[in-house]
Amino acid sequence: MPLSKSELCGTNADGSRSTEYCAYCYQDGVFTEPAITRDEMIEKCADILIQRKIMPEEQARRCMCGMIPLLKRWEKT
């Protein structure tokens, strides 16, 4: 998720805004779904894009497969 607005940014343990993680994934210094796998996150995010009619299914899955693995949380998996 683009962190273009501060309210979209997650929060660190000290209450400051995270510059790396969104509010849906990261709150109070911890991941909201710590056990989710990279592939599960790809599916979850693609499904949101599809349900909200932001993009068609094939494009959403391709986009998330290209984007999620590049994020800091997933770069080592």
Side-chain angles (χ1 to χ4, degrees), residues 10-18 26-30:
T11 53
N12 296 309
D14 65 3
S16 63
R17 292 288 180 176
S18 171
Y26 197 69
Q27 297 173 5
D28 301 320
V30 295

Side-chain angles (χ1 to χ4, degrees), residues 49-64:
L49 294 173
I50 295 161
Q51 289 171 4
R52 293 183 182 177
K53 300 182 190 256
I54 294 171
M55 58 182 68
E57 181 176 355
E58 184 178 322
Q59 182 182 2
R61 295 199 191 294
R62 189 172 53 247
C63 181
M64 292 301 101

